[in-house]
Amino acid sequence: MLTESIISARDEGLGVITPTGVVLRTFVSEDCGAVGFSTGLARFASGAYLPYHLHAFSEAVTVLEGTARMFLEGRMYILRERDCIHVPAGIAHQVENAEQQRPLVVHWASASARPVRTLVNHGFPVDERGLSVPAKVDPESISRFDQCAIYELSEDAFFSDFFAKRSGAEGICGGYGRFSPGASLPCHVHDFDESITIVKGSAVCFVQGRSYELSGYDTAFIRKGTPHRFINRADSDMAMIWVYAGNEPDRILVDARFCTGQLKWRGAKHSQVHAL
């Protein structure tokens, strides 16, 4: 049985179109065997919006293209490309395309394998926050990309954490990774399921001897405990949005031959090398 799923973002016609002009696409969910989380894309035409709704679980929204206007019970923020907002469970929120001339595309991640939303028929007085970040008393958190800490996880592979337990998320964590040409992470496993969406350039994904080429929002779903790695073999940068079904990021390095298929993976019977 395959231990991964590769979802092509170019499979048109699979999204759900809302009455307000938003195309919702689910990449990872219980439909592909995910446990505890789901991910996907939402595309907003000019003037499109998702009306006020809430979830019974944490949700994180990252802008990939365009500019978003995000309302959280009246608190209105502007989110630019690669900005990310975490919305706690039970907080009503609305998402709008803030631009007239181009679409808005966002990546969403939920701490539930069955993503559902409950519409809220209630108005809130608007408190314009613009490009600021939430106050300490506000339940939401925002990661402004131009202010995010960047760390080099492996040579020429630069990462930023967008949301996690430490910033209020429950059951999911995630962020952004940029790989220079030739860069990769070592072969590794996680103690939770993972979703990886390629948002810039192209990547080669190795999973237990199988390899896949991904680009243009293609998404890989990697099950818990499965050896895998991503490599940028192109001559330009590659970038990804990664999401784990866990509270904080954790990676356990294993022998590279488990990714190439030269060694057969037997899970916990193999010694772990160290956390990355």
Side-chain angles (χ1 to χ4, degrees):
M1 183 181 72
L2 288 180
T3 53
E4 72 279 355
S5 296
I6 306 297
I7 303 99
S8 173
R10 291 174 288 278
D11 290 339
E12 300 295 338
L14 298 180
V16 175
I17 304 177
T18 72
T20 54
V22 182
V23 179
L24 297 173
R25 177 83 188 277
T26 300
F27 288 161
V28 171
S29 70
E30 64 180 5
D31 290 342
C32 62
V35 176
F37 82 140
S38 53
T39 66
L41 289 185
R43 295 179 180 270
F44 297 69
S46 176
Y49 67 99
L50 275 179
Y52 264 110
H53 61 281
L54 54 80
H55 310 283
F57 40 78
S58 280
E59 181 184 38
V61 177
T62 303
V63 176
L64 302 181
E65 301 175 34
T67 306
R69 187 180 293 113
M70 191 88 177
F71 296 83
L72 292 94
E73 299 184 351
R75 299 179 296 279
M76 190 278 284
Y77 302 93
I78 297 296
L79 301 180
R80 298 175 297 190
E81 290 182 8
R82 293 177 289 182
D83 287 345
C84 176
I85 187 167
H86 168 253
V87 183
I91 299 297
H93 54 289
Q94 177 168 305
V95 190
E96 299 178 356
N97 185 351
E99 299 191 40
Q100 296 297 318
Q101 302 301 319
R102 63 171 176 162
L104 166 69
V105 180
V106 304
H107 179 281
W108 58 264
S110 296
S112 171
R114 183 180 295 180
V116 293
R117 61 188 55 83
T118 301
L119 293 179
V120 175
N121 186 19
H122 180 72
F124 299 92
V126 176
D127 175 10
E128 294 197 14
R129 304 287 186 89
L131 293 172
S132 68
V133 296
K136 290 184 178 180
V137 296
D138 295 324
E140 67 272 8
S141 63
I142 294 178
S143 295
R144 298 287 184 189
F145 187 73
D146 59 1
Q147 300 173 20
C148 280
I150 300 173
Y151 54 95
E152 192 171 10
L153 191 58
S154 184
E155 184 177 1
D156 291 330
F158 304 94
F159 277 61
S160 295
D161 297 344
F162 282 173
F163 55 96
K165 177 74 172 180
R166 74 192 96 115
S167 58
E170 294 286 345
I172 52 172
C173 61
Y176 181 85
R178 178 179 62 83
F179 293 63
S180 299
S184 69
L185 293 184
C187 186
H188 61 281
V189 298
H190 306 287
D191 283 333
F192 30 67
D193 289 349
E194 180 182 18
S195 168
I196 309 97
T197 300
I198 304 303
V199 299
K200 180 180 180 181
S202 61
V204 179
C205 173
F206 288 93
V207 188
Q208 296 186 128
R210 296 178 292 276
S211 64
Y212 308 91
E213 293 189 8
L214 292 83
S215 63
Y217 301 150
D218 289 343
T219 296
F221 166 58
I222 308 296
R223 288 177 172 83
K224 172 182 176 179
T226 303
H228 62 283
R229 68 185 303 194
F230 284 78
I231 300 176
N232 180 8
R233 288 182 168 170
D235 57 5
S236 57
D237 284 357
M238 176 268 286
M240 62 172 62
I241 298 291
W242 51 269
V243 180
Y244 302 150
N247 285 327
E248 294 286 345
D250 184 38
R251 305 163 186 92
I252 302 165
L253 300 188
V254 298
D255 193 305
R257 291 174 293 178
F258 292 125
C259 282
T260 61
Q262 294 170 283
L263 290 179
K264 187 174 181 180
W265 177 251
R266 299 186 187 278
K269 294 182 180 180
H270 290 294
S271 61
Q272 299 172 350
V273 181
H274 58 83
L276 178 64

